[in-house]
Amino acid sequence: MDLARDTEPSGSAGTAGHIDVDVLVVGAGPTGLTAACEAIRHGLSVRIIDRKPYRSTFSKALVAHARTLEVFETMGVAEAIVAEGQRFAALNIHAGRRRRAVRVDLIELPWGDTAYPFWLSIPQYATERILEAHLNKLGGAVEWEISLDELRDEGDHVQARLERADGGEDVVRSRWVVGCDGGRSRVREQIGLHLDRADARATFILADVKTNADLTEDEGHVFLGPDGLLLIVPMPEPHRWRIIAHVPTPSPDSPITIDAAFLDALIRRRSGIEFGSHDVVWQSQFNLSHGLADHYRRGRVFLAGDAAHVHSPVGGQGLNTGVQDAHNLLWKLGVARRAGVMRTEKLLDSYEAERRPVARAMVRGTARATGALTARSGLLRALLGPIAPRIISRPAVQARLGRAVGMLEIAYPGSPLVNPAVASAVAGRRMPNPELRTGGRLYQDLDPIRHTWVVRQRPGEASPDPYAPRWAGLPVVFLNGGALVDGSGTVPPVVLVRPDRYVAGAGDTVESVWSQLAVHPEQAPVPR
């Protein structure tokens, strides 16, 4: 299949004139809304549908991490997201018979070169509300109460039959479809891909509740004890907290009633806190499972978010991974649509090649962590108590709660966009975002939708001509010797930065960078 045909401009001869929309997004959660917003930002026409009657009002996912906030900054919504959220100042680990908790100061961790050195507590409904408002501002809109009935990849387009709530049908022909429709994805089912779930044999309860207890509003608590795991997590609303607890799996004949009395008894038993639960606005109970789709792409159809991976909520990685999936995919669709890219197949294949290993590692990591925290044996849970504080007290372990949990260390070393024979060691890694002496950070100077050259100059050296053929028509940012607050060593001499702020190639010369690229990023020919 030659996906280079996707680059025909609208109205040209052939099938392109019969396409209704560039991208059909199925599912309007955080992943789908990100995909729709990014489609428009990258110059693509989009429709986004959801079978629900309206946006969810439940809090669900609660943490936005640093790398996701960088994505939101690129999209133009980070300021609104941060304003709605509550920054975690610390995490207090209570374990065994220790009277004093191990306190992890999250703000003081070695975060490095990010503008968002914190965990942000923000309910999913607030994230979705901000993203939907942004989509509306861009000229898009979610089409509610429309469900996907049938999907057929016709080779040069995808034909989708949609069902409206009134029983009517609509047929849409799109260049691509992005399935963001959750763990029981209809898109995934229609294209014959599979997500095999493994039962973690653990039941969790969640509740958003107010308290009469005098707790520091911006600090979370983790209790590890023989009775099971308990997390008390701050929410942006004053005096409201998210309760997360591992509980014995109930029998079908005696389900758990999650009310104020149940929560008070559970919290008292596991933490000793007289919580005074009231105003329980949301509660949920689920049996944990985890899994990964066998592929993220089939032809012109892609999976993202929970349609591609499901896993434990430990670490708060789910929503964040889905948003980053969409961010990774849509710039590639934008390049494929607007430029005469040769070898477009490799460009689009790179989505799965880059993002699926990230999800696989996340699923495995959260499964191991959850397994340790929810061990069925009370003895094993009791043994965890005295061991966990010693582990958590180590500076190296605490440091991982910053950059690693914040998803700033995610890299794509095996990306098919990079020539492995000559690739720089930093190719496929996140581009550093150091502070500039002129104010702001480097990312703010990068092109919002195209690849950007970043060139570090020697002191006193004149800036080269930014319109010279060697740059192939791409924008160039020149950094003089004293431009970076953090020092010049954080940025290689010559870097080509992708639209998602990852390094396409880096070296001492422009020519060495060009040689590292397996797929040229834009339409202009590589200079020789």
Side-chain angles (χ1 to χ4, degrees):
M1 180 168 52
D2 181 9
L3 292 187
R5 284 176 291 178
D6 288 310
T7 62
E8 294 176 16
S10 297
S12 65
T15 60
H18 300 287
I19 298 297
D20 298 313
V21 68
D22 288 323
V23 182
L24 172 66
V25 177
V26 182
T31 302
L33 289 167
T34 299
C37 290
E38 287 291 85
I40 296 174
R41 194 169 71 85
H42 286 283
L44 303 167
S45 59
V46 65
R47 286 185 67 177
I48 175 171
I49 63 169
D50 198 295
R51 59 184 177 81
K52 298 191 299 292
Y54 46 77
R55 179 169 23 88
S56 173
T57 58
F58 300 135
S59 58
K60 299 181 183 178
L62 194 60
V63 180
H65 286 302
R67 176 59 195 152
T68 303
L69 294 172
E70 291 181 346
V71 170
F72 286 151
E73 180 184 272
T74 304
M75 294 172 62
V77 298
E79 186 175 345
I81 293 283
V82 172
E84 288 264 356
Q86 167 74 57
R87 302 185 192 198
F88 278 68
L91 195 62
N92 299 283
I93 315 296
H94 308 257
R97 297 181 179 180
R98 295 170 60 101
R99 294 191 177 185
R100 294 185 60 184
V102 176
R103 186 176 185 274
V104 182
D105 190 329
L106 297 174
I107 302 298
E108 294 301 318
L109 295 176
W111 286 91
D113 62 325
T114 179
Y116 306 97
F118 48 82
W119 296 6
L120 187 75
S121 171
I122 180 169
Q124 183 170 322
Y125 64 74
T127 301
E128 291 181 2
R129 171 169 45 78
I130 292 167
L131 289 173
E132 187 178 6
H134 187 63
L135 176 64
N136 296 158
K137 182 179 178 182
L138 293 173
V142 178
E143 300 176 50
W144 298 106
E145 294 189 283
I146 296 181
S147 59
L148 174 68
D149 179 50
E150 186 180 56
L151 203 61
R152 194 165 67 244
D153 190 332
E154 300 288 1
D156 57 4
H157 71 278
V158 183
Q159 183 165 295
R161 189 168 75 234
L162 312 180
E163 286 189 356
R164 299 191 300 270
D166 61 7
E169 289 188 352
D170 188 11
V171 174
V172 178
R173 290 179 293 274
S174 62
R175 298 184 188 280
W176 299 287
V177 171
V178 183
C180 309
D181 50 341
R184 305 190 185 282
S185 170
R186 176 68 173 165
V187 172
R188 190 180 66 231
E189 175 188 281
Q190 282 288 295
I191 59 175
L193 295 179
H194 303 282
L195 189 154
D196 293 326
R197 291 173 180 261
D199 185 358
R201 297 189 295 174
T203 300
F204 275 80
I205 61 107
L206 308 176
D208 294 347
V209 58
K210 284 197 170 182
T211 180
N212 293 327
D214 184 19
L215 296 176
T216 304
E217 292 281 335
D218 61 353
E219 297 191 7
H221 297 267
V222 179
F223 294 89
L224 303 171
D227 289 337
L229 173 69
L230 169 66
L231 289 85
I232 303 177
V233 181
M235 297 185 69
E237 182 184 350
H239 309 300
R240 187 171 297 285
W241 298 77
R242 163 70 59 81
I243 305 301
I244 307 171
H246 170 227
V247 297
T249 301
S251 69
D253 299 331
S254 56
I256 297 173
T257 300
I258 305 173
D259 55 17
F262 171 84
L263 293 169
D264 275 348
L266 183 147
I267 294 169
R268 183 186 305 112
R269 185 169 61 251
R270 298 191 184 183
S271 70
I273 297 173
E274 293 295 336
F275 203 70
S277 301
H278 60 281
D279 192 16
V280 183
V281 295
W282 177 69
Q283 52 83 18
S284 177
Q285 176 184 162
F286 62 93
N287 295 324
L288 191 63
S289 63
H290 46 82
L292 182 67
D294 49 356
H295 290 287
Y296 277 25
R297 177 193 180 198
R298 176 150 290 173
R300 293 177 172 270
V301 183
F302 302 82
L303 302 178
D306 288 353
H309 43 77
V310 293
H311 47 86
S312 164
V314 171
Q317 306 283 291
L319 177 152
N320 294 269
T321 303
V323 166
Q324 293 172 43
D325 287 344
H327 185 62
N328 180 286
L329 172 62
L330 266 297
W331 77 260
K332 295 169 181 177
L333 296 184
V335 169
R337 178 68 184 95
R338 72 175 180 264
V341 181
M342 301 303 292
R343 293 171 290 177
T344 305
E345 188 78 17
K346 183 175 288 188
L347 174 68
L348 298 185
D349 275 343
S350 73
Y351 168 63
E352 176 178 324
E354 292 180 353
R355 294 302 300 169
R356 192 172 182 274
V358 171
R360 183 174 60 239
M362 178 191 61
V363 168
R364 290 175 177 174
T366 57
R368 285 195 298 268
T370 304
L373 294 171
T374 62
R376 303 183 75 183
S377 166
L379 176 60
L380 291 176
R381 291 201 294 266
L383 290 173
L384 184 63
I387 295 172
R390 279 182 254 167
I391 297 173
I392 295 295
S393 296
R394 296 174 182 170
V397 174
Q398 292 194 12
R400 289 189 58 79
L401 296 175
R403 289 187 66 86
V405 173
M407 310 177 86
L408 297 169
E409 301 291 357
I410 289 174
Y412 312 129
S415 173
L417 302 185
V418 178
N419 181 349
V422 293
S424 160
V426 298
R429 298 193 65 83
R430 169 184 166 275
M431 178 68 182
N433 188 25
E435 292 182 83
L436 304 178
R437 296 194 184 279
T438 54
R441 288 181 177 270
L442 178 59
Y443 283 8
Q444 296 168 320
D445 288 348
L446 304 182
D447 191 275
I449 63 171
R450 293 192 297 165
H451 285 66
T452 305
W453 291 100
V454 176
V455 180
R456 182 162 52 84
Q457 300 172 261
R458 298 182 182 88
E461 181 182 14
S463 297
D465 179 5
Y467 302 104
R470 65 194 309 204
W471 312 115
L474 298 176
V476 189
V477 173
F478 295 109
L479 300 175
N480 63 43
L484 305 180
V485 172
D486 298 333
S488 61
T490 58
V491 176
V494 181
V495 190
L496 184 61
V497 185
R498 301 174 1 171
D500 61 353
R501 306 322 189 213
Y502 274 75
V503 175
D508 293 326
T509 66
V510 176
E511 292 71 25
S512 70
V513 174
W514 281 126
S515 70
Q516 296 171 31
L517 307 185
V519 176
H520 187 255
E522 300 287 348
Q523 188 170 10
V526 178
R528 298 300 181 188

